[in-house]
Amino acid sequence: MLTFQQLPSIVQGREVQAVQPLPIVHLLTDSRKLSQPAGTLFFAIRGRYNDGHRYLAQLYMQGVRQFVVEQGEPEELRQLYPEANLLLVENALEALQKLAAWHRGQFHIPVVGITGSNGKTIVKEWLAQLLSPDEMVVKSPRSYNSQLGVPLSVWQLDQHHTFGIFEAGISQPGEMEKLQQIIRPTLGIFTNIGSAHDEGFGSHQQKVAEKLKLFKEVDLLFYCADHTLIDEAVQAQGITSFTWSRSQPADVYITAATTVGHKTIIEYIYKAEKQRLAIPFTDEASVENALHCLAVLLYRRLPLSEIQDRLDRLHPVAMRLEMKEAINGCYLIDDTYNNDLAGLAIALDLLVNQPQRGRRTVILSDLLESGLPEEKLYRQVAELVQARGVERLIAIGEKISRYSSLFRVPAEFYMSTADFLAQFNPARFRDELMLVKGARVFGFEKIVQAFQQKVHGTVLEVNLDALVHNLNYYRSKLAPGTRLMVMVKAFAYGSGSFEVANLLQFHRADYLAVAYVDEGVALREQGITLPIMVMNPSPDSFAKLRQYSLEPEIYALEQLQAYIASLSASAIYKIHLKLDTGMHRLGFTEDDFDALFDLLQQHPQVQVVSAFSHLAGADEAVHNDFSQQQISTFRKMAAVVEGRLGYRVIKHILNSAGIVRFPQHQLDMVRLGIGIYGVEATGDEQEALRPVSTLKTTVSQVKHIRQGETVGYSRKGVADADKTIATIAIGYADGYDRRFSNGTGQVLIHGQRCPIIGNVCMDMCMVDVTGLEVKAGDEVILFGPQLTLVELAKSIGTIPYELLTNVSSRVKRVFYSE
């Protein structure tokens, strides 16, 4: 067992204090994911957006007693953390990498390293599944392939494992050497080369050369020789290889590929023999990923019948966690097809970091392909479940049921999914947060269906990772100490107020803002504790403001008088003053100041938290002079406010566009609105943001019409030739604007743009799909990454805000994280 006393020599750090010989069991880099303080070593990593040193005191209070830090005077550290083991290093991330590299060196087992532009995670997951009958496999959880993710993945290695599979991703030169030293692969797979992370490299040739550094010590490299850049580089470096190809002789030469139903029949020549296999997928990406795995199985000399049997059991890899509303006020985290120990820990972290809304329940199947002996596996599962505060476990499967005595939380055990569903009583589940996680063979999608509310088939998918990316993009523009208020009004611009607010709370935003009191009340009732400013409070809501600790925007004397009249003198009441600097919508002018401050002086229990104003034209450069004039006016007015009050207040005027255009005027806080949802209001830096929302529906029916026939109400859609049309399940009642009628709007089906034909109806509309193979049930994208809100808004003369906020509440929201 590794102890802290061994650490300085491993990571080349300076021991500040070693109070006790504690074991190092868990590595922690995110203070929000602490579960088992005993045996935890925290690395205080300073990143672009955050600094782990800010959380040392918090973790110490929570029982962590081992730290690797980059800064701090030794004597001061000893005084602050007298019971802690402390190691001072130049770079905490590099120290983590060195520790993982040392850990990897303790094991002498085959390890596959996987890199490439696409397919790394799927190839890793499939290869782990295919090798699990023969090996005790350890693999990277999800897409843990970064400078931080790889060391955390390799740390999982223990004496029971016989085979490792780790993926590595890079975004710039110089990164792969570090990952190679940590993974030290004995075998390699180079999936392909494409455009992912092109911006970090001068050319694809450079990117190939950098990625190949992962394989400098491998015994054998698997790759497709049809990728010319990869093939030429491998040959030039003399790396021993095992290749497959569709176009030239190779170790595995694919001579034919034929689609039959839901399978692809592959004919190939291997060791001069013609052979034939079925791959249970038809899309090109899945076939390529499966062929990489096939090459490994052939190299391992598995019988053809065994290979076919294992390929038949391959299934699509769930690449994301989804969060959905469910029956009786419950909320569902759907991780149905991701079923390994590391993945369970990640999903439990997500569960724990949702605000408490009733008890936390986990529905879990047997864990397959874990690479651990059964008793050790389920002992670790039991420890994880208990450490994460799970209050009810529903365990399904013969293996997990055999170890029921290990679980200390209230638990129910069922032999099969069918057994659980046979006894399913919806009334037993109310106001719970539930994680559903199972191996594919258990068919947990039936459980998800049983819990989900009956909802409209149209879906707005909200990418929480994109939200975090956009949040961090704007954070990177802020000066140290500048606070961040985020707008979650109007159902978080259509995206879902609670889910977005919870994400912002997890990522430590400073303030939230809503339009109306009932929006703030809903967030408080769902566990949001961040300060919340209410922008349009009405006198009949003042009691709710106080009850739920909401802070009103005050913009007029009459409003302030009414608010004060509703107060008692026994507490401090926080307000935000809105100043009118030229937008002339709401706010105090300088003419109001004497009466305003006389009133505030008479009622010292009313405390002004912030003074702010609103830029009228920050999104357009033509208004830059006016925006600068507003900012200058605000600075002067805010100085008067602080002078009359006799204390400092938070000052803020910049919105999303202002953060980009006027960074020198960030003051104490900025307000982030449309930018976090993926629309850069100035248009200057749109490429830096990621689209957050994708609106999807399905094809209801396909039919053929003749030239001259009409489509839809008022016969507005006239066929100028024989056409194929598809009716899709969305209309203006769902928020799809009627102005998209008659060819103005387009949708994506099978990646192709299809124009609206005729008028948009209340619950459906029709699109021209002539020349495409379209059938009922096919997916339709109304907007998303390939059909942007900016483009669509421009086509009907509006702004992206309107399209986002118009998406009806009857449209189901699905929130997901990759």
Side-chain angles (χ1 to χ4, degrees):
M1 177 73 74
L2 178 68
T3 65
F4 186 85
Q5 279 67 19
Q6 298 169 261
L7 203 57
S9 62
I10 294 173
V11 305
Q12 287 79 58
R14 175 186 173 189
E15 184 182 287
V16 174
Q17 181 170 271
V19 178
Q20 44 192 326
L22 296 174
I24 297 173
V25 181
H26 312 291
L27 306 185
L28 182 68
T29 62
D30 187 335
S31 63
R32 298 163 298 190
K33 297 181 179 180
L34 174 66
S35 61
Q36 296 168 288
T40 288
L41 173 64
F42 178 70
F43 289 81
I45 295 172
R46 286 187 292 182
R48 183 178 178 186
Y49 306 118
N50 218 330
D51 185 349
H53 297 83
R54 293 170 54 188
Y55 311 108
L56 296 178
Q58 170 193 327
L59 290 168
Y60 186 78
M61 290 291 292
Q62 292 174 290
V64 177
R65 290 295 180 266
Q66 302 186 92
F67 299 93
V68 174
V69 300
E70 297 179 9
Q71 63 189 39
E73 291 300 322
E75 186 55 40
E76 182 182 2
L77 289 170
R78 294 186 195 104
Q79 290 177 1
L80 289 171
Y81 313 111
E83 298 177 9
N85 293 337
L86 296 159
L87 189 71
L88 186 62
V89 298
E90 289 187 10
N91 185 297
L93 176 58
E94 290 182 3
L96 171 66
Q97 293 171 339
K98 289 175 182 176
L99 177 57
W102 173 86
H103 184 69
R104 167 67 180 93
Q106 310 308 301
F107 301 91
H108 305 284
I109 61 172
V111 169
V112 175
I114 304 176
T115 195
S117 295
N118 299 291
K120 297 184 292 294
T121 301
I122 293 174
V123 171
K124 174 202 68 187
E125 294 291 336
W126 282 354
L127 192 58
Q129 181 186 341
L130 292 165
L131 296 181
S132 62
D134 312 315
E135 306 282 1
M136 304 291 270
V137 179
V138 59
K139 59 183 173 67
S140 309
R142 292 194 173 268
S143 298
Y144 272 41
N145 57 33
S146 66
Q147 298 293 305
L148 181 61
V150 167
L152 295 176
S153 298
V154 170
W155 184 253
Q156 299 175 101
L157 272 166
D158 75 16
Q159 67 272 21
H160 295 98
H161 295 121
T162 63
F163 204 95
I165 309 174
F166 303 108
E167 56 177 298
I170 59 172
S171 56
Q172 60 187 18
E175 291 183 333
M176 191 60 88
E177 291 98 330
K178 297 177 182 178
L179 301 186
Q180 190 278 333
Q181 293 168 21
I182 300 168
I183 298 173
R184 240 172 292 170
T186 59
L187 300 170
I189 298 176
F190 200 145
T191 58
N192 50 48
I193 195 70
S195 59
H197 299 294
D198 268 359
E199 64 276 7
F201 301 92
S203 66
H204 278 196
Q205 286 89 342
Q206 183 192 23
K207 186 158 63 170
V208 168
E210 289 292 326
K211 288 180 178 289
L212 273 178
K213 290 177 181 178
L214 178 62
F215 308 122
K216 68 178 185 179
E217 296 178 358
V218 297
D219 298 325
L220 195 66
L221 174 62
F222 299 87
Y223 69 96
C224 173
D226 297 335
H227 294 291
T228 306
L229 288 179
I230 297 175
D231 190 46
E232 290 175 353
V234 171
Q235 299 304 321
Q237 293 189 28
I239 299 174
T240 305
S241 60
F242 186 109
T243 61
W244 64 270
S245 172
R246 301 172 186 267
S247 61
Q248 57 187 304
D251 292 289
V252 181
Y253 179 27
I254 312 297
T255 57
T258 308
T259 300
V260 179
H262 298 295
K263 295 185 177 183
T264 301
I265 308 302
I266 299 294
E267 297 179 20
Y268 63 94
I269 299 173
Y270 176 60
K271 292 187 175 180
E273 291 186 13
K274 291 185 177 181
Q275 298 179 340
R276 189 171 184 268
L277 281 170
I279 293 173
F281 304 98
T282 58
D283 64 287
E284 184 57 36
S286 295
V287 171
E288 179 178 82
N289 293 333
L291 288 172
H292 287 308
C293 296
L294 171 63
V296 176
L297 297 181
L298 290 172
Y299 164 74
R300 286 173 62 91
R301 300 179 182 177
L302 266 71
L304 188 60
S305 59
E306 179 65 18
I307 292 175
Q308 183 64 73
D309 183 58
R310 295 187 188 185
L311 287 175
D312 287 342
R313 295 198 295 270
L314 280 183
H315 53 74
V317 175
M319 297 293 287
R320 65 192 203 183
L321 285 161
E322 293 187 343
M323 295 187 288
K324 308 168 181 177
E325 291 185 3
I327 57 172
N328 302 332
C330 294
Y331 208 75
L332 201 66
I333 299 173
D334 183 359
D335 196 19
T336 307
Y337 296 144
N338 196 302
N339 187 241
D340 56 69
L341 192 60
L344 175 61
I346 293 169
L348 286 170
D349 283 336
L350 180 62
L351 179 75
V352 169
N353 285 294
Q354 305 301 309
Q356 189 76 38
R357 44 193 296 164
R359 62 181 168 184
R360 292 189 175 101
T361 297
V362 172
I363 303 177
L364 181 67
S365 79
D366 288 346
L367 270 69
L368 308 180
E369 303 142 22
S370 71
L372 293 173
E374 276 188 14
E375 183 174 359
K376 181 174 182 177
L377 169 65
Y378 291 108
R379 189 175 298 281
Q380 290 189 24
V381 170
E383 290 171 356
L384 268 176
V385 167
Q386 185 164 350
R388 297 304 201 273
V390 172
E391 292 157 287
R392 173 161 69 161
L393 172 69
I394 296 173
I396 299 176
E398 295 181 4
K399 294 179 181 178
I400 195 170
S401 296
R402 279 201 293 269
Y403 297 95
S404 59
S405 62
L406 298 176
F407 292 88
R408 296 290 178 263
V409 301
E412 307 165 24
F413 294 87
Y414 300 87
M415 288 296 107
S416 68
T417 302
D419 289 343
F420 170 75
L421 290 173
Q423 300 177 52
F424 177 64
N425 180 1
R428 294 180 58 233
F429 299 88
R430 185 167 300 278
D431 299 322
E432 297 182 42
L433 182 62
M434 298 184 291
L435 168 64
V436 179
K437 187 170 182 62
R440 190 176 186 90
V441 294
F442 283 86
F444 269 20
E445 68 274 9
K446 298 173 185 174
I447 293 177
V448 173
Q449 290 166 6
F451 276 107
Q452 276 203 267
Q453 296 174 320
K454 291 183 178 180
V455 290
H456 184 37
T458 301
V459 172
L460 183 71
E461 293 186 344
V462 180
N463 184 339
L464 298 178
D465 296 329
L467 268 168
V468 173
H469 168 87
N470 298 340
L471 174 69
N472 286 336
Y473 164 74
Y474 284 99
R475 263 198 173 136
S476 71
K477 292 181 170 295
L478 301 185
T482 303
R483 303 187 200 188
L484 184 65
M485 173 184 282
V486 186
M487 302 290 130
V488 292
K489 62 181 181 177
F491 201 45
Y493 290 54
S495 299
S497 301
F498 160 67
E499 292 81 5
V500 173
N502 183 53
L503 188 77
L504 294 170
Q505 181 165 279
F506 181 72
H507 286 280
R508 299 187 171 101
D510 298 289
Y511 253 95
L512 301 178
V514 297
Y516 298 105
V517 169
D518 55 358
E519 294 176 310
V521 169
L523 293 180
R524 287 283 186 254
E525 289 180 339
Q526 295 180 88
I528 300 301
T529 59
L530 285 177
I532 299 174
M533 182 177 79
V534 179
M535 304 181 75
N536 293 290
S538 58
D540 61 358
S541 67
F542 288 161
K544 289 287 188 184
L545 283 171
R546 296 191 295 276
Q547 180 183 350
Y548 288 92
S549 299
L550 304 173
E551 301 170 12
E553 169 189 320
I554 300 295
Y555 48 79
L557 280 171
E558 299 85 354
Q559 181 199 28
L560 178 58
Q561 289 166 342
Y563 182 65
I564 288 173
S566 73
L567 304 179
S568 66
S570 60
I572 297 296
Y573 301 98
K574 297 178 180 180
I575 66 170
H576 300 257
L577 291 183
K578 178 71 171 287
L579 307 180
D580 185 358
T581 58
M583 187 166 179
H584 301 319
R585 186 173 64 176
L586 295 173
F588 292 98
T589 66
E590 288 184 278
D591 293 340
D592 301 315
F593 275 9
D594 285 341
L596 168 63
F597 293 112
D598 285 347
L599 191 57
L600 289 172
Q601 188 173 19
Q602 295 167 25
H603 299 278
Q605 77 271 33
V606 178
Q607 180 184 46
V608 178
V609 178
S610 84
F612 70 103
S613 190
H614 201 102
L615 296 176
D619 54 339
E620 297 181 88
V622 69
H623 301 305
N624 278 1
D625 288 344
F626 185 75
S627 296
Q628 292 283 8
Q629 179 183 320
Q630 279 194 275
I631 293 168
S632 177
T633 300
F634 175 71
R635 283 181 175 271
K636 293 175 184 175
M637 293 177 74
V640 173
V641 168
E642 291 186 322
R644 297 288 294 267
L645 289 173
Y647 55 84
R648 290 182 59 82
V649 300
I650 300 169
K651 299 172 287 295
H652 49 112
I653 190 170
L654 297 188
N655 54 10
S656 296
I659 295 170
V660 174
R661 283 235 162 93
F662 310 109
Q664 70 275 28
H665 298 297
Q666 293 174 8
L667 304 177
D668 303 307
M669 186 160 69
V670 297
R671 301 188 304 274
L672 180 56
I674 192 67
I676 197 174
Y677 303 103
V679 177
E680 203 284 282
T682 72
D684 297 334
E685 301 185 19
Q686 182 61 49
E687 293 302 312
L689 300 183
R690 290 177 57 187
V692 168
S693 301
T694 301
L695 182 61
K696 294 181 177 181
T697 190
T698 56
V699 172
S700 300
Q701 187 180 27
V702 177
K703 57 179 59 180
H704 304 281
I705 61 172
R706 292 188 292 273
Q707 182 178 357
E709 292 185 329
T710 61
V711 178
Y713 284 121
S714 303
R715 304 187 68 198
K716 293 293 185 181
V718 181
D720 56 6
D722 291 353
K723 289 186 177 295
T724 304
I725 63 168
T727 300
I728 62 176
I730 192 170
Y732 56 77
D734 304 297
Y736 190 65
D737 202 294
R738 200 166 184 270
R739 288 171 288 180
F740 287 128
S741 299
N742 302 309
T744 301
Q746 296 180 321
V747 303
L748 287 176
I749 303 179
H750 300 326
Q752 301 297 311
R753 294 191 173 213
C754 305
I756 301 293
I757 183 168
N759 283 331
V760 174
C761 309
M762 181 180 290
D763 306 303
M764 62 193 75
C765 51
M766 288 66 71
V767 296
D768 184 351
V769 295
T770 305
L772 298 179
E773 292 293 327
V774 177
K775 62 183 183 302
D778 283 355
E779 181 180 85
V780 182
I781 296 177
L782 288 305
F783 61 70
Q786 283 77 46
L787 190 60
T788 68
L789 284 164
V790 174
E791 175 188 350
L792 291 176
K794 186 177 181 180
S795 73
I796 59 171
T798 188
I799 55 177
Y801 299 72
E802 182 179 359
L803 299 186
L804 264 181
T805 57
N806 277 356
V807 178
S808 169
S809 59
R810 81 176 186 179
V811 173
K812 173 186 174 185
R813 270 73 173 171
V814 172
F815 303 86
Y816 68 91
S817 178
E818 300 291 354

